[in-house]
Amino acid sequence: MDERKTLEQRASMTEVERLRHSASHVLATAILRIWPEAQFAAGPPVENGFYYDVDLAHRISPDDFEKIEAEMKKEIKANHPFERMEVSRDEALEMGKKGRLAALSDRNEPSKFKIDIIENIPVDEKISLYRDGDFVDLCAGPHVMRTGNIGAFKLTSVASAYYKGDEKNPQLQRVYGTAFKTKKELDDYFAMLEEAKKRDHRKLGKELEIYVIDDDVGPGLPLWLPRGAAMIEELEKLAKETEFAAGYQRVRTPHIAREILYKKSGHLPYYADSMFPPMELVTQASSLSGQAGFQPATAEGTAGALMENDQAGSLSYDRYYLKAMNCPHHHKLFAAIPRSYRDLPLRLAEYGTCYRYEQSGELFGLMRVRSMQMNDAHIYCTPEQFEAEFNAVNEMYLKYFKLFGIEKYLMRFSTHDPTKLGQKFVDEPELWKQTEVMTRNVLKNSGVDYVEVPNEAAFYGPKIDVQAWSAIGREFSIATNQVDFAQPRRFNLVYKDRDNTDKTPLCIHRAPLGTHERFIGFLIEHYAGNFPLWLSPEQVRILTIGDEPALIDYARKIHEELRAHQVRAELDLSTDKINGKVQCAEQMKVHTMFVIGKRDMEADAISVRVHGKGNLGAKPRAEVIADILLSIKERRP
RNA sequence: GCCGACGUAGCUCAGCUGGUAGAGCAGCGGUUUCGUAAACCGCAGGUCACGGGUUCGAAUCCCGUCGUCGGCUCCA
């Protein structure tokens, strides 16, 4: 039990929330009519509906919904009033013992979850029951006046949930439903869900041939098809241009590293669970040949046994991890060369590939994966430079958001909790204070929307996470910007300052475009697959009408001209009718179609059709191509 | 990871209570020569996720494994 809803929050429940909360009582009533032994836990309204958690030997399946809904309709038709009753704690417990809470009558088994809930209600708070018809439930309300006020409802799914969200508690069945005041609103809601399904990046990702996830390659390990890879190339080009202009230098680092690196960085053992298990390597020094041979040791037992031999001097043993983050590698690059204050700020950028062993149940399309390429960079700077650097990063974010037309976003500024210094957060009270003040100033001065979240900083410093919402309302944490004053010290990173002393730099971790995986997943939903020209996997498709040789030559010439300018153009010379070719290109959401017939050839023109805009008519060839090139160059929306 | 549902051709899906698979699209081969969202004919395509079991017989029933999806934060 974390926080209970306050009475004020309850009082401010909207009408639709009351209605849904009432619907959950009716749901419980219906379940009891069918399975009188059901034990109920919590049944609140939620964002898009309501649920009730129930403990029941029968496994409720969607096949049962019709039966349950029929019982619910009877209760609604009966139009029972919701009556509120205030009772003493003892009275409530007494009823609970008789199984009368969340029940239609007294029962043999006590209402165990309700009794537990009563015992957790603060002593100074009143206890109330609600009755509608035979059903009585422990409930603080509020409700609608009568069951008949519940307009249109539908059960939507059943899932499991731990009691109080704690995996040590028993699992309950959570029956979900939604309810609205009118049938029309309910229908609109389901229509909206249907629309959202069409934009789902997993569906579009497959249809538009952007990526696949293959069982044999592994869960959470997306493979990028040429169309997806083209988009990635564009994003990288954008990042490289932007970062070059902002004074970043590019570096490259391997995908694996020895265990010691992550021990130094402090990521092990805290992050071990979210890293792939290490590769064990055993080096055998052969005294005969004097050469070393490798043999992988897979089982822990083998490694252990070999380590004993190691002490005899003939074997040595090591572990390599797939990298889960790039920072330790970049810190090593900082350390590789003696640094002067004149070198700072030093900005090292890399689209680094990282691997994280996310729990199987957490994997989700491109949003939650196990291999990812991060738009990563680390900025090493002096405390004096920090504010300007952090601000520049922030401005880079805003520039990207503008380019992609991302309007709904929120910056979450996570700070430390001073009482947890030395435990959850590194024990540097002054540095925390300083960097948080500086970060807050940057946010305030830039005028962006942000919320401050105490106690959620990284262990090494305050951070900003950017949440954005795709067009279907799915929330994405797409970017991150973190301050780090701990790792540079752990790695003994120093620069020689003006006064000839060694000082430790601050480090800013930043990834404005997040990872390719999540960012492209976001863009697919954001644009519904209708990407701007510069980002489109297939920018232009040339469709010929007829196949006379002169016409084919003309189409080929245009195709070559586009390709010579690095435009992703394809040529459709198939024998389909023009309607068929247009349909095919439209379905793949090809940005621009050049429809070429005899008329165009004779006028040295191109008939242009743009996805979503239809036929724009014929224009001179040179003009059309110049416009395409300019649109790509300017990254027009 | 846990609970539940699901897994049939490249894709979308059909296949009733067990009698060893079917459509449309895509693909391939022809025919068609066409002006902005699907021309016509034919062919080919499947160890019904994988592994066990029950049965005379399994896509179908049972068990296990893998994978996908929905949940697991919002407490009366």
Side-chain angles (χ1 to χ4, degrees), chain A residues 569-581:
Chain A
E570 301 296 332
L571 188 52
D572 182 354
L573 296 173
S574 67
T575 59
D576 280 348
K577 284 174 71 169
I578 190 62
N579 288 303
K581 295 190 193 190

Side-chain angles (χ1 to χ4, degrees), chain A residues 113-266:
Chain A
F113 300 110
K114 297 294 175 180
I115 291 174
D116 182 65
I117 291 162
I118 294 168
E119 283 164 354
N120 284 290
I121 294 177
V123 281
D124 54 337
E125 204 172 289
K126 282 181 182 160
I127 292 179
S128 60
L129 309 179
Y130 271 83
R131 168 198 284 276
D132 59 289
D134 297 331
F135 184 73
V136 175
D137 198 358
L138 173 74
C139 177
H143 283 279
V144 291
M145 296 297 287
R146 309 184 76 96
T147 54
N149 296 13
I150 297 164
F153 74 95
K154 193 164 175 50
L155 298 184
T156 50
S157 63
V158 56
S160 83
Y162 298 105
Y163 180 52
K164 293 180 182 173
D166 186 335
E167 64 184 6
K168 289 192 279 293
N169 286 335
Q171 278 199 324
L172 307 174
Q173 304 188 61
R174 178 168 291 182
V175 182
Y176 279 92
T178 190
F180 290 88
K181 216 172 159 185
T182 64
K183 176 81 165 56
K184 178 166 188 318
E185 286 168 290
L186 184 74
D187 291 345
D188 287 349
Y189 172 72
F190 282 100
M192 190 272 289
L193 286 186
E194 282 304 307
E195 272 312 298
K197 256 190 216 164
K198 288 184 200 157
R199 277 188 179 233
D200 191 304
H201 75 274
R202 292 167 298 181
K203 181 174 158 67
L204 284 174
K206 183 186 266 185
E207 286 172 359
L208 302 182
E209 297 174 9
I210 291 171
Y211 76 99
V212 291
I213 292 179
D214 184 278
D215 286 1
D216 290 348
V217 175
L221 303 173
L223 306 177
W224 296 99
L225 287 154
R227 288 173 175 271
M231 294 177 69
I232 284 181
E233 299 280 337
E234 285 297 341
L235 288 181
E236 290 199 10
K237 204 165 125 198
L238 171 69
K240 285 173 183 172
E241 282 173 19
T242 307
E243 287 160 9
F244 183 85
Y248 289 69
Q249 294 171 282
R250 302 208 77 78
V251 294
R252 312 202 124 217
T253 62
H255 293 199
I256 62 173
R258 294 170 67 194
E259 179 174 41
I260 186 152
L261 183 70
Y262 302 108
K263 281 189 169 161
K264 282 191 180 168
S265 71

Side-chain angles (χ1 to χ4, degrees), chain A residues 255-325:
Chain A
H255 293 199
I256 62 173
R258 294 170 67 194
E259 179 174 41
I260 186 152
L261 183 70
Y262 302 108
K263 281 189 169 161
K264 282 191 180 168
S265 71
H267 286 103
L268 281 176
Y270 309 105
Y271 280 60
D273 279 352
S274 50
M275 292 174 80
F276 273 87
M279 288 163 265
E280 313 274 359
L281 283 179
V282 177
T283 313
Q284 183 158 27
S286 161
S287 54
L288 291 171
S289 66
Q291 287 188 328
F294 280 109
Q295 73 179 76
T298 45
E300 193 69 31
T302 317
L306 291 166
M307 276 181 86
E308 282 179 31
N309 287 341
D310 183 32
Q311 287 163 357
S314 61
L315 291 169
S316 70
Y317 144 91
D318 207 348
R319 284 178 168 180
Y320 280 78
Y321 277 91
L322 277 167
K323 70 176 171 186
M325 62 288 298

Side-chain angles (χ1 to χ4, degrees), chain A residues 220-222 224 232 236 250-257 262 275-276 321-330 349-356 369-378 514-517:
Chain A
L221 303 173
W224 296 99
I232 284 181
E236 290 199 10
R250 302 208 77 78
V251 294
R252 312 202 124 217
T253 62
H255 293 199
I256 62 173
Y262 302 108
M275 292 174 80
F276 273 87
Y321 277 91
L322 277 167
K323 70 176 171 186
M325 62 288 298
N326 301 304
C327 30
H329 293 73
H330 289 186
E350 175 179 19
Y351 246 111
T353 307
C354 297
Y355 301 87
R356 294 185 186 170
V369 292
R370 285 178 172 165
S371 71
M372 66 211 83
Q373 284 179 271
M374 294 176 67
N375 171 227
D376 214 356
H378 294 91
T515 64
H516 280 322
E517 287 72 19

Side-chain angles (χ1 to χ4, degrees), chain A residues 54-71:
Chain A
V54 56
D55 186 23
L56 181 64
H58 171 81
R59 287 269 155 220
I60 297 174
S61 86
D63 297 337
D64 297 317
F65 286 176
E66 209 175 312
K67 202 162 57 177
I68 299 171
E69 284 173 351
E71 290 295 331

Side-chain angles (χ1 to χ4, degrees), chain A residues 530-549:
Chain A
N530 305 312
F531 306 109
L533 184 64
W534 69 273
L535 194 57
S536 283
E538 184 176 347
Q539 294 169 312
V540 178
R541 187 180 294 185
I542 300 162
L543 316 173
T544 50
I545 304 171
D547 63 354
E548 61 181 276

